[in-house]
Amino acid sequence: MLILLASERDEEARAFATRYAHNGLRMLIPASLSRWGWRWRNAHPRATVALIDGERVLANEIGGVITRLPWVLPCDLPEIRACEQEYVAAEINAFLLAWLVSLDCPLLNRPSAQCLSGPGWRSEMWVSKAHQLGIAARA
């Protein structure tokens, strides 16, 4: 199973997940992280259980993760009371960072302390890196 971590509002991610669902791609949205069923054991990675599309998935069943989410925002958690969304979003960001780096599978864009989907660079840095790699990019 491959996981696409993205916002529920990310239409491109949803279309991509639908297009490749037959290949085992499943979308994980932030709201799923506040539902019962998750279990993370850093000292015992095999005991880790994720909740993907309402299904309990063992960590060793995850073949890879693609992250399109720089961080979880309060608006990503509509099921949480408004006065608690900011706090819960911060907790979920911390959990996601720990969970992602503990997975023993390929991560397309390994999270950093600044960003769940990579190094958290500003656009100028991405453009510069693209040019260094010979990839066309707009300044």
Side-chain angles (χ1 to χ4, degrees):
M1 171 184 306
L2 299 173
I3 307 289
L4 174 61
L5 175 60
S7 170
E8 189 170 28
R9 298 178 319 275
D10 188 339
E11 295 298 326
E12 292 163 348
R14 187 166 300 286
F16 183 77
T18 300
R19 190 173 328 125
Y20 292 100
H22 67 280
N23 290 1
L25 181 64
R26 308 276 291 282
M27 191 161 156
L28 173 60
I29 61 171
S32 295
L33 290 142
S34 64
R35 296 193 180 115
W36 184 88
W38 282 85
R39 182 176 64 206
W40 179 61
R41 303 283 189 265
N42 192 36
H44 304 286
R46 291 182 183 259
T48 294
V49 177
L51 189 64
I52 313 294
D53 287 339
E55 179 185 333
R56 293 170 55 93
V57 176
L58 297 174
N60 64 353
E61 296 175 302
I62 299 172
V65 179
I66 302 166
T67 304
R68 281 187 49 100
L69 191 66
W71 47 79
V72 175
L73 300 173
C75 62
D76 290 320
L77 306 169
E79 296 175 359
I80 303 297
R81 291 188 336 197
C83 64
E84 297 176 349
Q85 286 176 343
E86 191 171 328
Y87 171 78
V88 174
E91 289 293 316
I92 287 177
N93 281 312
F95 169 77
L96 273 173
L97 177 59
W99 179 70
L100 286 168
V101 299
S102 75
L103 290 175
D104 190 25
C105 66
L107 302 176
L108 181 63
N109 40 356
R110 186 162 288 283
S112 68
Q114 295 80 28
C115 183
L116 293 173
S117 58
W121 293 343
R122 293 186 318 240
S123 18
E124 298 85 8
M125 294 176 77
W126 284 111
V127 170
S128 175
K129 187 62 164 178
H131 283 297
Q132 288 173 10
L133 296 172
I135 299 170
R138 286 187 224 171

